[in-house]
Amino acid sequence: MNPDLSRERATASFNPETITYILDGSPEKTKRRREIENLVLSDPFFQHEDPNFLSRSERYELAIKKSAYMVGKMREHGIADPEEIYWFKSFVHRDRPGPLDLHLGMFLPTLLNQATPEQQERLFMPAWNLEIIGTYAQTEMGHGTHLRGLETTATYDPSTQEFILNSPTVSSIKWWPGGLGKTSNHAVVLAQLYTQGECKGLHAFIVPIRKLGTHEPVPGVEVGDIGPKFGFDEIDNGFLKFDKVRIPRDCMLMKYAQVQPDGTYIKPVSDKLTYGTMVFIRSMIVGDSARSLSRASTIAIRYSAVRHQSEIRVGEPEPQIMDFQTQQYKLFPLLATAYAFHFVGSYMSETYHRITGDIQQGNLSELPELHALSAGLKAFTTWVATAGIEECRMACGGHGYSRCSGIPDIYVTFTPSCTYEGENTVMMLQTARFLVKSYTAALSGERLSGMVSYLNDVSQQRVQPQPLASRSSVTNINDLSSLVEAYKQRAAWLVVEAAKSFQTNVNRGKRKEDAWNKNSVDLVRASEAHCHYVVVRLFTAKLSEILDGAAHRILSSLCLLYALHGITRNTGDFLQTGLLSTSQIDQVQQRVKDLLAVIRPNAVALVDAFDHSDTQLGSVLGRYDGNVYENMFEWAKKSPLNKTEVHESFYKYLKPLQSKL
């Protein structure tokens, strides 16, 4: 064990295991998660060569090989719970994407949530047994987040009781679905439904795209891989083109909307019900934001404890770079953010399952807010986490640029989440639409519930916040309840101002669509402020559940750091609204620096509490034992370029030049 890391762990004021239990939900869940991880780590089949030294084709083949074996092992071990499946899969693929991700994460959930009992009986077990391997084909070459713009058509022919799938334009070719290029033989296809001469909007269809047995494309289907991307080398993201492909009527998922044999259309109770899979995935992405940022933070903080460089006092030994306040300022707010996002991710998962249960009972009242909150938090957390992962890489200096650091892999794997399942700016505008609608309802006297209930306080068309110094309930910048109130007031002010500006443009004769676009920057700011408030509120609320005194103290410091650091990044909002005075901003900035010193002796223990194994991290810099340099040297020697002392290119191209000298 590196002596620096040993000393860091000895200085911690709490037991990391206690916080691990809090993060997992209970000691029992931690035990079970570790049991599942050990099932993977102890299986020789899952040990393999470092993927950084493999070609893209080799990485894909290895991922397929592991995925197929993984499914068999999950059956053998009786792993069927969705959370345990997620754990097992992440341990097998070491938090990298896998070719069956969309099959397990979107295709199967779509069958469960949108198929009729008869369709589930026919399709689910073959899909579970990988006879049917599916993907989720929504995005097209010309349209992604704007679902209404999708061009793929499904036209019903009552004479044969079939739907005719067609890609009428080049831009209508399905593009990007993971597992589509080479792996899947079926797809959930989102297409514009036409029946009895009318377009009924987007609906989901189960479409065979490759023949069972031979895996060749079915007639009328052109399908393949879209080529290398920024990352995701293990995934065969694909294209899919239909040329008048006919499928039976019962291939339309009809739990909510239906097309009867004669073509009569029966609409769903709510058109948002068909978006259930998307809401589920967006909720999952919030948790993934926490997980990815926590991995990057673990690597950067452990390395910062091991790396010695420069001088604080001339002539004295080089200090650990984590002793520099600038390094702490880079990393500790990100550590706090990872914890905040973890608790928000847990909240979103619990809320999704609770509201889904309500929907099954016919109660759709909370669906609009779930849709809006999942969209906004998906955007908010992925933007912050992506920037944070890159900050962690740069905080590791030059070695962070090496693939051996593990952070480049985390970055290229996570950053696509800013655009898949909804481009983030569009997601924020979807949340803004809900916020403006809620504000309008509050003005008309409706009592709001949920995370927008703060708009109930808006009795006029203007929020008039007062400085904290004149508000007895929120005078202390060290009081988290005061800070939650400040974030709430900031969100309310920005929502109201954006809504008022939008309405003013409408009143002056602008079309609503043009008025919306003219105010979209302010609307996105309002959504970001709303999401920021939700995160601060949920992190603060979580503290009341923590009974262990030492854990409560350090997590309270992290929560306070998260809230105050957010104010320093958005000083203008808090000053402009009158929520904070300039002197209080000075106090906030000083308190942030004070908290860095509180976190410093606990930083390594706090990342240890995430409980990421070395195998999962895949990082030489972030090793638990801190033995970085010797292992970096061993890693470099494994490069394929080092298989020979002299590369063949020398003899082909350089030696002839030298012979002429």
Side-chain angles (χ1 to χ4, degrees):
M1 184 69 67
N2 180 286
D4 287 318
L5 278 183
S6 295
R7 283 193 298 271
E8 293 292 335
R9 292 182 174 116
T11 65
S13 64
F14 67 96
N15 181 356
E17 191 86 346
T18 302
I19 291 185
T20 302
Y21 297 156
I22 293 169
L23 293 171
D24 283 333
S26 69
E28 292 73 26
K29 283 192 174 183
T30 297
K31 180 183 178 183
R32 180 57 178 159
R33 175 180 56 78
R34 289 172 175 170
E35 286 175 351
I36 291 173
E37 182 173 20
N38 287 331
L39 288 176
V40 175
L41 295 179
S42 62
D43 192 326
F45 187 90
F46 291 126
Q47 312 309 310
H48 58 78
E49 185 179 347
D50 191 319
N52 288 302
F53 299 133
L54 302 178
S55 69
R56 180 175 176 236
S57 179
E58 289 171 332
R59 288 177 77 148
Y60 168 72
E61 182 176 356
L62 177 63
I64 284 287
K65 178 182 177 182
K66 289 167 63 179
S67 294
Y69 184 78
M70 172 188 76
V71 172
K73 280 296 178 182
M74 284 195 295
R75 292 174 189 159
E76 178 184 327
H77 296 303
I79 296 174
D81 177 80
E83 186 174 34
E84 293 191 356
I85 290 173
Y86 176 83
W87 287 339
F88 198 94
K89 180 178 70 67
S90 68
F91 295 141
V92 167
H93 292 292
R94 304 182 183 184
D95 282 319
R96 296 185 180 94
L100 295 182
D101 280 2
L102 263 69
H103 175 78
L104 296 171
M106 294 193 75
F107 188 80
L108 290 176
T110 300
L111 288 180
L112 289 173
N113 293 326
Q114 297 187 39
T116 64
E118 293 78 14
Q119 289 173 321
Q120 289 187 22
E121 185 176 356
R122 174 166 54 90
L123 297 169
F124 187 80
M125 287 313 298
W128 179 250
N129 292 325
L130 291 187
E131 297 163 21
I132 290 176
I133 302 174
T135 186
Y136 193 86
Q138 174 177 290
T139 301
E140 297 173 357
M141 190 184 291
H143 288 92
T145 306
H146 180 56
L147 298 183
R148 291 194 302 276
L150 296 180
E151 300 175 83
T152 302
T153 59
T155 305
Y156 185 65
D157 180 356
S159 66
T160 61
Q161 295 191 27
E162 294 174 313
F163 290 101
I164 305 169
L165 274 292
N166 198 45
S167 305
T169 63
V170 171
S171 57
S172 71
I173 297 171
K174 295 295 182 184
W175 200 268
W176 278 114
L180 175 62
K182 293 296 176 183
T183 306
S184 301
N185 54 33
H186 281 68
V188 171
V189 175
L190 274 292
Q192 302 287 357
L193 167 62
Y194 284 84
T195 183
Q196 297 181 338
E198 295 182 359
C199 180
K200 300 298 183 180
L202 275 186
H203 290 72
F205 302 83
I206 298 289
V207 184
I209 58 174
R210 289 185 171 94
K211 300 174 184 177
L212 298 181
T214 67
H215 211 58
E216 295 174 349
V218 302
V221 167
E222 190 173 352
V223 60
D225 179 77
I226 66 170
K229 292 85 58 180
F230 187 47
F232 271 52
D233 287 339
E234 295 87 353
I235 300 292
D236 53 325
N237 297 87
F239 62 79
L240 177 63
K241 185 176 185 294
F242 296 108
D243 183 13
K244 301 179 178 63
V245 175
R246 288 179 171 266
I247 59 174
R249 184 180 69 90
D250 62 5
C251 284
M252 174 181 165
L253 293 176
M254 295 197 196
K255 182 174 182 178
Y256 300 116
Q258 298 175 16
V259 172
Q260 295 183 333
D262 65 355
T264 300
Y265 177 74
I266 301 176
K267 67 179 183 179
V269 177
S270 169
D271 57 1
K272 289 185 172 61
L273 289 171
T274 56
Y275 298 158
T277 302
M278 286 189 304
V279 172
F280 170 70
I281 296 299
R282 287 170 187 165
S283 297
M284 290 285 290
I285 289 172
V286 176
D288 286 341
S289 298
R291 184 173 180 83
S292 296
L293 184 55
S294 72
R295 291 172 64 216
S297 299
T298 298
I299 294 167
I301 286 175
R302 285 180 179 167
Y303 179 63
S304 295
V306 170
R307 179 76 170 183
H308 290 249
Q309 189 159 296
S310 302
E311 296 176 332
I312 292 178
R313 300 182 183 91
V314 177
E316 293 189 5
E318 291 182 304
Q320 298 160 282
I321 60 174
M322 197 155 64
D323 284 339
F324 291 96
Q325 189 184 66
T326 50
Q327 188 77 346
Q328 297 167 20
Y329 191 73
K330 291 174 187 176
L331 296 178
F332 294 175
L334 295 175
L335 173 62
T337 301
Y339 271 89
F341 286 0
H342 179 91
F343 296 132
V344 174
S346 297
Y347 170 86
M348 286 301 298
S349 178
E350 293 164 5
T351 302
Y352 171 81
H353 290 299
R354 176 178 60 78
I355 294 178
T356 300
D358 293 342
I359 291 171
Q360 302 301 326
Q361 302 301 316
N363 179 6
L364 308 181
S365 61
E366 293 188 77
L367 183 58
E369 178 168 12
L370 175 63
H371 184 266
L373 192 59
S374 66
L377 286 174
K378 179 265 182 189
F380 183 80
T381 59
T382 55
W383 267 334
V384 172
T386 296
I389 293 165
E390 175 64 358
E391 183 81 358
C392 288
R393 184 192 67 77
M394 291 189 290
C396 291
H399 291 325
Y401 189 66
S402 170
R403 293 287 285 271
C404 81
S405 75
I407 299 181
D409 262 351
I410 298 172
Y411 184 83
V412 299
T413 297
F414 183 75
T415 192
S417 62
C418 291
T419 47
Y420 65 58
E421 293 311 307
E423 192 278 328
N424 279 358
T425 301
V426 178
M427 293 294 93
M428 281 298 190
L429 288 170
Q430 285 186 11
T431 303
R433 198 171 297 279
F434 175 76
L435 293 172
V436 171
K437 185 177 179 180
S438 298
Y439 167 66
T440 303
L443 286 178
S444 66
E446 181 179 332
R447 295 297 295 176
L448 304 175
S449 60
M451 291 295 180
V452 292
S453 59
Y454 60 83
L455 293 173
N456 287 326
D457 299 333
V458 184
S459 57
Q460 303 173 356
Q461 292 195 22
R462 179 169 179 80
V463 173
Q464 296 177 326
Q466 299 171 348
L468 283 180
S470 64
R471 297 168 63 91
S472 60
S473 61
V474 284
T475 56
N476 185 356
I477 65 166
N478 292 300
D479 177 44
L480 283 167
S481 62
S482 297
L483 296 176
V484 171
E485 177 70 16
Y487 273 92
K488 181 178 76 172
Q489 291 292 331
R490 171 197 176 218
W493 181 77
L494 287 171
V495 169
V496 171
E497 291 301 305
K500 283 176 56 187
S501 184
F502 163 69
Q503 191 58 50
T504 297
N505 280 268
V506 172
N507 293 342
R508 290 176 179 171
K510 283 191 176 292
R511 295 175 58 180
K512 283 189 174 181
E513 297 85 351
D514 294 332
W516 187 263
N517 183 49
K518 186 176 175 63
N519 292 280
S520 57
V521 171
D522 293 337
L523 289 162
V524 169
R525 281 185 65 210
S527 291
E528 288 179 320
H530 173 73
C531 292
H532 209 163
Y533 156 66
V534 169
V535 176
V536 173
R537 172 179 162 176
L538 292 176
F539 195 171
T540 302
K542 183 66 180 180
L543 297 175
S544 64
E545 302 174 17
I546 299 171
L547 303 179
D548 182 87
H552 188 278
R553 283 190 293 275
I554 192 62
L555 290 180
S556 294
S557 295
L558 273 183
C559 185
L560 186 59
L561 175 61
Y562 177 79
L564 293 177
H565 185 262
I567 291 175
T568 67
R569 291 299 180 92
N570 298 278
T571 301
D573 287 349
F574 289 93
L575 286 173
Q576 191 177 1
T577 57
L579 287 164
L580 286 167
S581 66
T582 53
S583 64
Q584 286 174 312
I585 293 294
D586 291 339
Q587 293 172 29
V588 167
Q589 292 170 340
Q590 181 57 50
R591 187 69 179 114
V592 166
K593 289 181 282 188
D594 293 341
L595 286 167
L596 298 180
V598 174
I599 303 301
R600 170 64 185 88
N602 293 286
V604 168
L606 282 166
V607 297
D608 285 351
F610 289 131
D611 205 28
H612 297 306
S613 68
D614 284 348
T615 301
Q616 284 299 101
L617 281 181
S619 170
V620 173
L621 302 191
R623 293 171 59 93
Y624 184 84
D625 63 14
N627 296 324
V628 171
Y629 300 130
E630 51 268 62
N631 284 286
M632 188 184 297
F633 187 40
E634 291 304 313
W635 184 88
K637 289 191 287 188
K638 295 176 184 177
S639 170
L641 287 176
N642 293 324
K643 287 185 176 179
T644 59
E645 288 293 336
V646 180
H647 195 269
E648 61 182 14
S649 62
F650 169 80
Y651 300 105
K652 289 182 179 180
Y653 307 113
L654 298 179
K655 188 175 177 60
L657 290 175
Q658 294 174 350
S659 65
K660 296 177 183 179
L661 295 178

